Amino acid sequence: MSLLVLHDDNLLEIAGKLNLRGISVLRKVNQRLRNLLDLRPPINNFTKISIGGRIYYPRTQVIYESATGTETILYDDKDQAGRDFELNIRYQKGLVNEFSIDFQDAEDPVVEKIHETLKSRNKKLRVKDILMQGNVQQKLFEFLPFLDPTSLKMIATFKSKGNEMQQLDDNCMQLEQWNSAEEFFSGCTFESSACFSRLLNFRQVNIWVNEIRLEDVLLLRKPSLSNPLFRYVYFYFTVFPELDEFLRLLGNSLADLTNNIVAKYFRIPNSTDVLLIRISRNCCYFCRSPEAKRFAGWELIEDIGTKMNLLDLTDDDLLVIAGKLDLRGITNLCKVNQRLRNLIDLRPPTNNFASISLLASVGYTIVRFRSPFERVSNVYQTDDQNCQINLNTLVRQDFREVCCRDFELNIRYQKGVLNYLHVDLKAENLVFEKICQILRSRNRKLQATGFTVMLDNLPKVFEILQLLDPNTLKRIGILWFEEVTMSISSLDEYEQLEQWRNAEELDYKIRLESSECFHRFLHFRNVTIRVDTLYLKDLLMLRDAFLANPQIQKFKSYFLKFPELQESMDLLGMEKDSEDLEEDKFSEMYFRIPNSSDVLAIGVCLNFFKFVRLVVAEKYAGKNVIEDIGEVGFFQR
């Protein structure tokens, strides 16, 4: 059979499952395939890309990592390595968490091809961390303009050998990528501290410097005192001629460095933050910490004779600060005055949480927000008619009201799709009602891929489920905190919801009366449910559904009673008595599905039955697969 007799859709399905080399080979078949792949290209979603020609020189090593695995390719042909990189990066759609380029020769043909590829893209490549190693670090400022400045967070350069000096481009401060990044690390040595003036926009800096000048070190005072987002600058040095003068300004002398590290702690004006300046014989550290209580017991210099006012900043500077504050910080900033409230309402920051979890119990509520870059957990609890948030106390405020205000503010700025929303509010009706009110007030339904809920009655589950976007919801988990049995008719209300009908996976941990409800779950791909009584006739109905519909992948059911268990095992050909079944040890049979390469696995253990469609049948080579189900009694009933 010729590949070219297939329809375009079939060819694209094949292309979508090929590996990286396979796509490249497929394009070479003929012009029709090249045009088809250009018109409707497959999509890559690499999370990490590493390309280097140093470790395996003269060969080129390329590593692509994604959520589904890692692929490593070694090329002898540099031109082929460059062409494949161009092809694969053309189809990249998501954020690359780490992009590493490691070449000893900055003029390597592969390096040139990488640069040409990035330059030719219609949209700048979205990269979180860029790492340049070897002599290719000299080309850092040739690559930066072609990376998306809104995603770039860290810039790092490293040397492989030799004494090459790190150079900063004269125009680096004009690059949006340079100004928007938050971290800069360099394993190369800077000639002098004159570079400090070009690094003041970063929150975190770690570098090596040959010669330090005091006037450059004093530049570090401004960001560390005036920028609440500043974290640290750490620099190693070879020569510091004015070290004794710097120590004198700190109130110490060179003698103090003989066997010790000098560390000074200063209270930052109009703030609870502390500035730590630490110095030794060959390194210096400026660090701003928001956790002032960590330094209790240290000698803290309260008055440094410097004043600053947050409101002296421009709107743009205030919005930069607001965009990088944590969740509680946004709330507190809104409380400063009307100008800040209006500014944040007019130009709100945006959140891109990957998951949100709410857990409420008597006397406390825990809210967890996770994003690709941070994890924040706030514990709200009552403290003698006050609200305590983590270690902070808000006088005469109800912890539930404060929790809901914070949630409302943060969910208002949510822009992306949540991977996971977990709600456990079984013991707190007031919080539940407020959360529903917040979700109901949104202009658009909250987008979430997965939703898990634990509540104390089904109407509450129905109420919150209908507030989620049905177009994005794929997984539903419904948990119950009491051992009760619900009637099958309790499902009637769910079946009216588009969210229920569109989802693909269901974990329903509320026990139902019997397996006579099984037919109401067959639109899901994966199902886990619990029933009081399991009947053979309903397993036969599942059998027919699995044989007819390749979209159904798994159906699992816990049961308390199964009157026909032994009969079912005998029909399946299991050479075991039902009394011998163990709790976690399955007895399984494998059957080839007619007119398909797939395998149907049917397994049973104590109080648990499962049907699983195995799409990759080759994986089960060596298993005792029954090829002709016509010989099995279970398939003849």
Side-chain angles (χ1 to χ4, degrees):
M1 171 181 174
S2 171
L3 185 69
L4 298 178
V5 302
L6 297 176
H7 294 295
D8 286 355
D9 288 340
N10 298 128
L11 290 170
L12 287 168
E13 185 176 352
I14 293 171
K17 295 180 180 180
L18 289 177
N19 62 17
L20 308 178
R21 289 289 300 132
I23 293 287
S24 179
V25 172
L26 191 64
R27 289 177 58 85
K28 297 176 181 177
V29 173
N30 72 354
Q31 188 63 45
R32 177 194 168 199
L33 284 171
R34 283 193 291 278
N35 293 341
L36 182 61
L37 291 173
D38 285 340
L39 183 64
R40 297 167 64 185
I43 294 173
N44 293 327
N45 198 14
F46 302 123
T47 56
K48 182 177 178 181
I49 300 173
S50 174
I51 182 165
R54 183 176 58 85
I55 297 176
Y56 293 97
Y57 182 83
R59 305 174 81 187
T60 301
Q61 181 190 52
V62 185
I63 302 174
Y64 297 95
E65 288 187 17
S66 68
T68 57
T70 301
E71 184 168 0
T72 302
I73 307 171
L74 276 174
Y75 294 90
D76 293 308
D77 186 343
K78 292 183 179 293
D79 289 339
Q80 186 64 53
R83 286 195 299 271
D84 284 1
F85 175 81
E86 179 184 20
L87 180 67
N88 293 315
I89 211 67
R90 178 191 303 170
Y91 302 143
Q92 174 67 18
K93 70 165 185 177
L95 174 70
V96 180
N97 290 327
E98 182 182 309
F99 183 25
S100 174
I101 306 173
D102 181 4
F103 285 86
Q104 191 59 37
D105 182 5
E107 305 304 325
D108 191 290
V110 180
V111 175
E112 295 298 323
K113 187 63 176 179
I114 296 171
H115 183 259
E116 291 174 11
T117 300
L118 296 178
K119 187 177 180 180
S120 66
R121 281 174 56 94
N122 293 328
K123 293 177 64 177
K124 289 181 168 60
L125 183 65
R126 297 179 63 233
V127 172
K128 180 186 173 188
D129 299 341
I130 175 76
L131 290 79
M132 308 280 283
Q133 186 164 336
N135 284 333
V136 77
Q137 56 87 14
Q138 300 169 6
K139 291 183 172 287
L140 172 65
F141 295 99
E142 296 181 26
F143 280 78
L144 280 184
F146 306 110
L147 304 181
D148 188 336
T150 63
S151 63
L152 190 62
K153 299 298 178 185
M154 187 190 77
I155 299 171
T157 61
F158 302 94
K159 61 182 179 181
S160 51
K161 62 181 180 179
N163 297 314
E164 58 270 329
M165 287 285 182
Q166 175 78 58
Q167 301 291 331
L168 294 185
D169 191 278
D170 291 339
N171 298 317
C172 67
M173 297 298 292
Q174 308 302 317
L175 285 177
E176 188 179 359
Q177 291 81 353
W178 185 260
N179 289 307
S180 62
E182 298 178 359
E183 303 172 31
F184 179 76
F185 299 93
S186 179
C188 306
T189 303
F190 286 88
E191 189 172 351
S192 79
S193 57
C195 64
F196 283 6
S197 62
R198 299 178 184 179
L199 301 173
L200 300 181
N201 56 290
F202 292 100
R203 296 179 63 193
Q204 298 174 201
V205 177
N206 194 320
I207 58 174
W208 295 74
V209 183
N210 186 38
E211 183 175 355
I212 296 293
R213 299 181 305 185
L214 179 59
E215 63 182 284
D216 298 320
V217 175
L218 296 180
L219 290 176
L220 301 178
R221 293 176 302 181
K222 182 177 179 180
S224 58
L225 294 176
S226 63
N227 182 2
L229 301 176
F230 175 88
R231 285 295 170 261
Y232 65 81
V233 171
Y234 204 134
F235 59 90
Y236 297 86
F237 57 85
T238 305
V239 180
F240 191 172
E242 301 156 294
L243 178 59
D244 56 342
E245 176 64 12
F246 181 46
L247 289 168
R248 186 188 65 77
L249 292 173
L250 293 173
N252 293 89
S253 65
L254 274 174
D256 297 325
L257 281 182
T258 305
N259 296 312
N260 297 301
I261 294 175
V262 171
K264 307 288 284 192
Y265 298 86
F266 303 94
R267 177 79 67 196
I268 295 175
N270 302 320
S271 172
T272 58
D273 293 359
V274 167
L275 173 62
L276 162 63
I277 300 178
R278 187 172 63 195
I279 188 165
S280 66
R281 283 288 180 180
N282 66 343
C283 67
C284 184
Y285 184 50
F286 277 63
C287 175
R288 179 178 179 133
S289 172
E291 304 169 24
K293 294 181 181 178
R294 281 178 51 197
F295 300 93
W298 292 94
E299 181 183 353
L300 193 60
I301 299 172
E302 295 285 352
D303 184 11
I304 64 172
T306 304
K307 295 182 180 180
M308 66 165 284
N309 189 336
L310 184 69
L311 298 178
D312 289 338
L313 299 176
T314 65
D315 284 356
D316 287 340
D317 291 332
L318 288 170
L319 287 168
V320 169
I321 293 172
K324 296 181 180 180
L325 287 177
D326 63 16
L327 308 177
R328 287 293 304 151
I330 292 285
T331 305
N332 291 333
L333 194 64
C334 287
K335 297 175 182 176
V336 173
N337 71 357
Q338 189 62 46
R339 175 196 169 199
L340 286 172
R341 285 193 291 277
N342 294 341
L343 181 62
I344 290 177
D345 284 341
L346 183 64
R347 299 167 65 185
T350 55
N351 294 326
N352 194 18
F353 301 123
S355 69
I356 300 176
S357 175
L358 297 99
L359 168 64
S361 190
V362 178
Y364 72 87
T365 300
I366 301 173
V367 185
R368 296 188 176 95
F369 296 88
R370 295 185 183 180
S371 73
F373 311 114
E374 66 176 337
R375 173 180 175 178
V376 178
S377 182
N378 288 333
V379 180
Y380 304 82
Q381 54 192 336
T382 183
D383 180 19
D384 191 23
Q385 297 185 342
N386 300 325
C387 171
Q388 189 175 52
I389 307 172
N390 298 338
L391 297 176
N392 301 314
T393 300
L394 301 180
V395 179
R396 294 190 177 279
Q397 296 196 45
D398 186 283
F399 77 96
R400 292 163 295 192
E401 292 290 340
V402 176
C403 166
C404 291
R405 284 200 305 269
D406 286 358
F407 178 81
E408 180 178 17
L409 182 68
N410 293 311
I411 207 68
R412 180 193 306 167
Y413 302 142
Q414 173 66 14
K415 67 173 181 177
V417 179
L418 293 173
N419 292 330
Y420 176 70
L421 173 65
H422 175 76
V423 178
D424 181 354
L425 303 176
K426 57 184 180 295
E428 191 51 76
N429 288 329
L430 179 62
V431 175
F432 170 78
E433 292 169 4
K434 184 63 176 175
I435 295 302
C436 287
Q437 181 183 339
I438 292 167
L439 294 178
R440 198 177 295 111
S441 67
R442 287 172 54 91
N443 294 328
R444 298 175 57 189
K445 292 184 186 297
L446 183 64
Q447 294 182 310
T449 304
F451 172 61
T452 304
V453 60
M454 188 168 189
L455 293 169
D456 53 7
N457 66 61
L458 288 179
K460 283 185 178 180
V461 177
F462 178 83
E463 184 174 354
I464 198 167
L465 184 59
Q466 66 180 331
L467 299 175
L468 303 180
D469 188 334
N471 298 314
T472 59
L473 190 61
K474 301 301 180 186
R475 303 182 304 275
I476 299 174
I478 301 177
L479 294 75
W480 204 255
F481 75 103
E482 292 180 353
E483 286 294 326
V484 295
T485 299
M486 306 297 292
S487 67
I488 295 176
S489 62
S490 64
L491 298 171
D492 294 347
E493 201 170 23
Y494 290 121
E495 293 181 335
Q496 308 306 314
L497 288 178
E498 189 178 0
Q499 291 84 348
W500 180 269
R501 298 194 301 269
N502 286 1
E504 298 178 357
E505 300 178 24
L506 174 69
D507 187 359
Y508 197 77
K509 294 184 177 177
I510 303 175
R511 191 183 304 129
L512 295 163
E513 291 173 320
S514 75
S515 57
E516 291 178 335
C517 63
F518 279 5
H519 69 280
R520 305 176 78 161
F521 298 102
L522 293 182
H523 64 284
F524 293 103
R525 294 179 65 232
N526 297 337
V527 179
T528 302
I529 61 173
R530 287 147 182 79
V531 297
D532 261 357
T533 306
L534 183 62
Y535 297 113
L536 174 58
K537 65 183 179 65
D538 299 312
L539 292 185
L540 297 177
M541 182 275 299
L542 281 184
R543 170 204 68 188
D544 295 339
F546 268 82
L547 293 180
N549 185 358
Q551 299 303 316
I552 304 177
Q553 298 296 314
K554 296 179 183 177
F555 199 106
K556 303 177 182 179
S557 177
Y558 295 87
F559 58 87
L560 295 181
K561 295 173 288 184
F562 189 178
E564 304 146 302
L565 176 56
Q566 185 61 60
E567 181 183 357
S568 300
M569 294 173 64
D570 292 341
L571 288 173
L572 286 167
M574 293 182 177
E575 298 175 355
K576 195 170 191 177
D577 291 332
S578 59
E579 290 83 2
D580 297 330
L581 291 175
E582 301 177 35
E583 186 172 352
D584 296 318
K585 189 173 181 181
F586 276 97
S587 293
E588 291 184 290
M589 300 293 289
Y590 299 87
F591 306 95
R592 182 79 66 191
I593 296 175
N595 303 316
S596 171
S597 62
D598 296 353
V599 167
L600 175 61
I602 302 178
V604 62
C605 68
L606 190 64
N607 298 327
F608 188 71
F609 212 101
K610 69 175 182 179
F611 280 64
V612 181
R613 187 183 186 103
L614 308 173
V615 179
V616 188
E618 292 76 11
K619 180 180 176 182
Y620 297 88
K623 298 281 187 182
N624 185 20
V625 177
I626 297 174
E627 297 289 344
D628 184 5
I629 63 174
E631 301 175 355
V632 181
F634 184 78
F635 293 92
Q636 303 307 311
R637 286 285 292 265

